[in-house]
């Protein structure tokens, strides 16, 4: 259900992302605005204008690190922003035409890193929260290769702070550890769009949960800074 909502949201708002009449978007995001100041001052109006998918897209494209830091420290969901960033960077590696065999294996290997770092319940310290259907889809695409590379060691993702050996340190170094690349059979159906549905699902979660909190905090910081400046004059 959540996956369907995410896809429908993107389709609905894609054509109106640059609409200059904010009232249309405000009506559909009234629940997101409940935590913002009720006063119609300059700061709150600016915050309301930022509660759009287009504004989130801009931050993800231009300055995602700050949002990821906020998400990890305040919303305890930094893995969601990390996943969005990783998928965007991965898709940018695809050639304009069809990749040759060597390129395809390299792209699959990089996708496998995303899966083990951020999706797999067996490997990721903090796996993203996907619906069962999407989790199964990615598992079918990458789980067998992940077990070939990393074996059956299971990270305690339910109790990440439990004592005992932690595989998370290794996971953080996957891209830098010089591990052997995966050169086995690539599942049919693997292509540039393999992460699209999960990307839309996680992006929708960020938009409805993390993004309003982030906008509110930034608005509060600007208001406090402005008030302090006025008092100092």
């Amino acid at each position: 259900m959540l996956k369907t909502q995410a896809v429908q949201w993107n389709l609905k708002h894609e054509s109106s992302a640059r609409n200059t009449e904010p009232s249309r978007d405000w009506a559909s995001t009234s629940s997101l605005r409940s935590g913002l100041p009720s006063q119609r001052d300059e700061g709150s109006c600016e915050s309301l204008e930022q509660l759009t998918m287009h504004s989130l897209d801009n931050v993800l494209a231009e300055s995602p690190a700050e949002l990821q830091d906020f998400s990890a420290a305040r919303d305890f969901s930094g893995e969601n922003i990390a996943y969005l960033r990783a998928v965007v960077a991965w898709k940018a590696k695809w050639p304009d035409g069809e990749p040759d065999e060597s390129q395809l294996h390299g792209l699959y290997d990089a996708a496998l890193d995303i899966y083990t770092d951020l999706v797999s319940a067996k490997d990721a310290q903090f796996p993203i929260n996907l619906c069962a259907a999407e989790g199964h889809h990615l598992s079918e695409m990458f789980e067998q290769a992940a077990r070939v590379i990393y074996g059956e060691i299971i990270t305690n993702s339910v109790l990440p702070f439990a004592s005992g050996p932690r595989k998370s340190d290794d996971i953080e170094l996957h891209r830098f550890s010089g591990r052997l690349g995966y050169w086995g059979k690539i599942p049919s159906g693997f292509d540039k769009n393999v992460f699209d549905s999960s990307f839309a699902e996680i992006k929708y979660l960020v938009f409805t949960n993390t993004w309003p909190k982030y906008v509110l905090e930034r608005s509060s910081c600007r208001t406090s800074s402005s008030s302090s400046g006025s008092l100092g004059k």
Side-chain angles (χ1 to χ4, degrees):
M1 181 65 178
L2 182 57
K3 175 182 172 183
T4 302
Q5 288 179 324
V7 174
Q8 289 177 342
W9 179 274
N10 279 348
L11 290 175
K12 179 179 178 182
H13 288 267
E14 192 173 63
S15 62
S16 60
R18 290 180 172 79
N19 195 323
T20 56
E21 298 178 17
S23 60
R24 295 182 182 180
D25 280 342
W26 292 350
S28 62
T29 58
S30 58
S31 62
L32 305 184
R33 296 183 286 126
S34 59
L36 292 173
S38 58
Q39 297 91 339
R40 299 287 292 181
D41 58 22
E42 183 179 349
S44 62
C45 287
E46 182 180 354
S47 298
L48 292 175
E49 291 173 357
Q50 292 177 347
L51 283 177
T52 64
M53 188 68 81
H54 181 56
S55 295
L56 173 58
D57 286 337
N58 285 339
V59 170
L60 289 174
E62 297 172 5
S63 55
E66 182 181 348
L67 178 58
Q68 184 172 336
D69 289 344
F70 171 86
S71 183
R74 304 296 180 84
D75 201 40
F76 304 104
S77 59
E79 66 274 12
N80 289 338
I81 310 300
Y83 183 72
L84 296 180
R85 296 179 68 182
V87 171
V88 169
W90 175 79
K91 292 191 75 170
K93 297 177 181 178
W94 279 75
D96 293 334
E98 287 294 320
D100 59 32
E101 183 178 356
S102 178
Q103 288 174 322
L104 189 63
H105 272 89
L107 289 164
Y108 183 84
D109 207 37
L112 182 59
D113 271 336
I114 295 175
Y115 175 78
T116 54
D117 286 357
L118 297 165
V119 179
S120 172
K122 291 185 177 181
D123 299 293
Q125 182 186 7
F126 299 107
I128 57 175
N129 185 21
L130 292 173
C131 67
E134 193 55 44
H136 178 73
H137 165 66
L138 293 180
S139 178
E140 287 287 303
M141 193 65 61
F142 299 109
E143 184 61 25
Q144 183 175 350
R147 303 285 58 83
V148 168
I149 297 296
Y150 299 114
E152 295 295 336
I153 298 176
I154 299 177
T155 296
N156 190 348
S157 58
V158 178
L159 298 173
F161 302 107
S163 60
R166 295 179 62 184
K167 192 167 182 280
S168 60
D169 293 338
D170 296 332
I171 295 171
E172 291 298 324
L173 296 176
H174 277 177
R175 294 184 178 85
F176 312 99
S177 62
R179 69 164 175 81
L180 294 176
Y182 176 78
W183 286 93
K185 181 179 179 181
I186 296 178
S188 61
F190 174 76
D191 59 18
K192 187 177 182 178
N193 303 315
V194 67
F195 291 117
D196 281 4
S197 294
S198 56
F199 183 91
E201 182 178 334
I202 294 302
K203 185 178 174 182
Y204 181 78
L205 284 175
V206 170
F207 181 66
T208 55
N209 290 282
T210 306
W211 183 241
K213 300 172 188 176
Y214 176 74
V215 171
L216 175 59
E217 175 155 311
R218 291 194 64 187
S219 175
S220 299
C221 289
R222 283 195 297 269
T223 301
S224 299
S225 177
S226 177
S227 298
S228 299
S230 297
L231 290 173
K233 293 181 179 180

